Amino acid sequence: MSKTTRYSGDEMWKNNVEKIQNSELFTLTYGSVVSQLCRDFNNNYQEVNQQLDRMGYNIGMRLIEEFLAKTGAQRCQTFKETAEMISKVGFKIFLNIQPTVTNWTQDGKTFSLVLNENPLADFVELPMGPDNRICRDLWYSQVLCGVLRGALQMVQLDVDVWFVKDVLRGDDQTELRLRLNKFLKDEVPAGED
Amino acid sequence: MDLSREVNSSLFHLLVMELVPSTIRMDDMLKQRQEREFEPTRIDTQLSSSKKDLPGSIQALEADVTDDVLIRIESYGYTLGLKLAEVLAFQKQTKLLDVLDVMKFVCREVWFCLYGKQMDNLRTNHRGTFVLIDGNYKLIENMTSSKGTPDTLKKSQYYLWFPCGIIRGVLMSFGVEALVHAELSQLPSVTFNIQTTINN
């Protein structure tokens, strides 16, 4: 048993979180953003990914505050612990899902999060064009990568996050990869020495 | 349809709050139109051409907000409204006989779904104009500008195009064509004015 189990995501989800009754509302809002982005960028999906990533990053920077306030979590000692925390507490209290942590590399710096379900992509189907470009280029849930990176940046972890598989593209599962680049040093904010 | 699924409501609010700055930045980006490779966002990534617009800041709101931006924000809401109306009408199985019923539907079901509360007041002149008042509008209740109240009011205005779009979308989905705009005189109370062509 790792130490992270002290913070029970389930408990917090039940008692401590204001929920929206209809997750469709959230799904539809996100869907409307993505489709509008596709229109605005003239189906240049690279740009759409980029934009979603930026939105996610900004959201992540704010979301971590709520996370820390709600959970009172302490610093994770190892990156393994961080992974558990992300899946069992983070995803649990925000999206009410628990991705599986797998595929650790030897050096313990890269792992995969497999999303068995994805509230962002409920009822979503990517339109099949003649050249199927959308399935090749668009990562529909790219915002998640941004959120993870933004949130982890705020707790002094420099990570890379990217999608490797997505059921929307016809893959067998939805899989995110996280790679730890480095632990950042704690710095005193400018003007507060 | 899976009705039991729930997500954290703050996630929804964070997403909506991020819409406005993003849209402003996107407008800025579209104007420059250059080909770029995908690059992950970093803490020091410049998000738009306005100075000091870094992740986590809302510097983007200082830029001149053009009508293009506002129209885009409104259309996010509009597409959401169109679809949301269908989902809610299906779930609640309500009968909507005339425009007033539709307005009540907006005040009760739609607003409850969005903000967990109903609209506080609904007025009409019975000639196609409706006024909906939410005395404590959730989306902007946490907003405050470091430059004082007038600035907060000005910047919150941009965010209001989103619910305006939602209302217009819902009405449209029930076949009511309408013009919607929001007035904000005192935080956090918002007045939505709705002009329809239908006499009631």
Side-chain angles (χ1 to χ4, degrees):
Chain A
M1 275 285 187
S2 71
K3 246 166 58 188
T4 48
T5 42
R6 271 188 301 144
Y7 312 103
S8 157
D10 289 308
E11 289 272 290
M12 253 172 279
W13 169 257
K14 265 189 216 127
N15 308 321
N16 211 353
V17 166
E18 199 178 314
K19 308 167 189 81
I20 34 178
Q21 300 299 321
N22 246 319
S23 75
E24 279 118 38
L25 169 64
F26 179 63
T27 313
L28 289 174
T29 312
Y30 185 67
S32 122
V33 173
V34 179
S35 59
Q36 178 83 30
L37 283 174
C38 289
R39 272 195 295 275
D40 285 343
F41 283 114
N42 223 343
N43 296 341
N44 180 343
Y45 301 115
Q46 289 294 338
E47 290 278 16
V48 177
N49 289 341
Q50 176 91 66
Q51 202 60 33
L52 289 173
D53 192 73
R54 287 187 173 180
M55 284 183 76
Y57 197 89
N58 290 319
I59 292 173
M61 289 175 79
R62 302 210 167 90
L63 172 136
I64 189 73
E65 257 172 58
E66 169 125 355
F67 176 85
L68 293 175
K70 282 263 156 69
T71 62
Q74 299 294 310
R75 186 178 293 256
C76 296
Q77 299 304 318
T78 61
F79 195 50
K80 285 230 156 75
E81 212 178 296
T82 313
E84 294 275 292
M85 191 67 115
I86 292 171
S87 122
K88 297 225 170 87
V89 187
F91 272 92
K92 180 69 196 174
I93 66 171
F94 285 107
L95 287 174
N96 193 20
I97 54 173
Q98 257 191 41
T100 328
V101 180
T102 55
N103 280 342
W104 281 95
T105 48
Q106 289 280 309
D107 59 0
K109 286 193 168 173
T110 312
F111 66 91
S112 290
L113 282 169
V114 177
L115 277 68
N116 318 44
E117 39 182 349
N118 181 2
L120 285 176
D122 276 342
F123 330 115
V124 176
E125 274 176 44
L126 297 181
M128 297 282 174
D131 56 349
N132 229 348
R133 209 162 51 85
I134 189 164
C135 282
R136 238 182 21 243
D137 293 347
L138 178 71
W139 291 112
Y140 185 85
S141 310
Q142 179 76 29
V143 76
L144 287 180
C145 300
V147 170
L148 282 168
R149 247 167 345 86
L152 290 173
Q153 168 82 41
M154 290 289 103
V155 288
Q156 317 295 355
L157 292 170
D158 183 4
V159 292
D160 276 330
V161 188
W162 68 97
F163 269 100
V164 283
K165 284 181 183 170
D166 190 341
V167 280
L168 290 182
R169 293 181 167 204
D171 297 323
D172 53 338
Q173 58 186 17
T174 304
E175 183 179 346
L176 272 160
R177 264 335 248 159
L178 260 93
R179 180 178 62 215
L180 174 68
N181 292 333
K182 59 172 184 275
F183 291 103
L184 302 165
K185 270 196 218 131
D186 280 325
E187 276 172 36
V188 182
E192 278 187 44
D193 43 359
Chain B
M1 215 176 285
D2 181 13
L3 301 180
S4 59
R5 168 112 76 181
E6 292 175 330
V7 294
N8 194 326
S9 70
S10 56
L11 212 51
F12 170 69
H13 292 296
L14 283 169
L15 178 64
V16 175
M17 269 168 70
E18 190 46 45
L19 275 183
V20 175
S22 297
T23 313
I24 298 172
R25 285 166 193 144
M26 217 170 74
D27 191 63
D28 183 72
M29 235 164 119
L30 283 172
K31 276 183 197 133
Q32 299 171 20
R33 279 268 174 215
Q34 37 175 298
E35 286 296 314
R36 268 172 303 246
E37 280 289 293
F38 177 80
E39 239 178 69
T41 320
R42 300 272 165 217
I43 189 86
D44 52 0
T45 308
Q46 189 76 29
L47 295 182
S48 72
S49 63
S50 75
K51 263 184 208 156
K52 284 192 263 169
D53 188 16
L54 299 171
S57 80
I58 45 158
Q59 192 65 28
L61 288 174
E62 299 291 341
D64 276 335
V65 175
T66 58
D67 286 350
D68 277 353
V69 174
L70 300 179
I71 289 169
R72 202 165 279 137
I73 297 168
E74 208 257 357
S75 73
Y76 286 128
Y78 181 70
T79 19
L80 174 62
L82 275 180
K83 290 171 189 157
L84 193 62
E86 274 176 42
V87 173
L88 288 177
F90 174 77
Q91 281 175 7
K92 310 283 176 188
Q93 304 281 342
T94 36
K95 275 211 180 85
L96 304 173
L97 299 173
D98 57 12
V99 190
L100 193 61
D101 281 343
V102 178
M103 291 299 165
K104 282 182 189 159
F105 182 82
V106 172
C107 291
R108 292 190 188 135
E109 316 296 355
V110 176
W111 226 243
F112 189 81
C113 174
L114 288 165
Y115 303 111
K117 66 180 285 258
Q118 297 188 359
M119 203 67 103
D120 293 314
N121 203 337
L122 164 65
R123 284 188 217 143
T124 174
N125 68 352
H126 297 285
R127 282 194 210 96
T129 305
F130 296 83
V131 179
L132 278 53
I133 300 170
D134 187 341
N136 191 6
Y137 185 51
K138 245 194 171 161
L139 175 62
I140 54 167
E141 109 193 307
N142 295 328
M143 291 185 182
T144 171
S145 160
S146 55
K147 290 181 194 157
T149 319
D151 197 48
T152 313
L153 284 176
K154 184 182 139 217
K155 286 175 183 165
S156 313
Q157 259 323 314
Y158 309 144
Y159 287 81
L160 292 178
W161 285 102
F162 182 69
C164 284
I166 295 179
I167 296 177
R168 193 168 72 85
V170 172
L171 295 178
M172 192 48 142
S173 155
F174 291 117
V176 181
E177 225 171 305
L179 287 174
V180 185
H181 78 270
E183 266 168 35
L184 176 70
S185 42
Q186 198 177 8
L187 286 163
S189 167
V190 179
T191 311
F192 295 94
N193 289 307
I194 306 175
Q195 302 272 351
T196 66
T197 47
I198 299 172
N199 281 320
N200 191 18

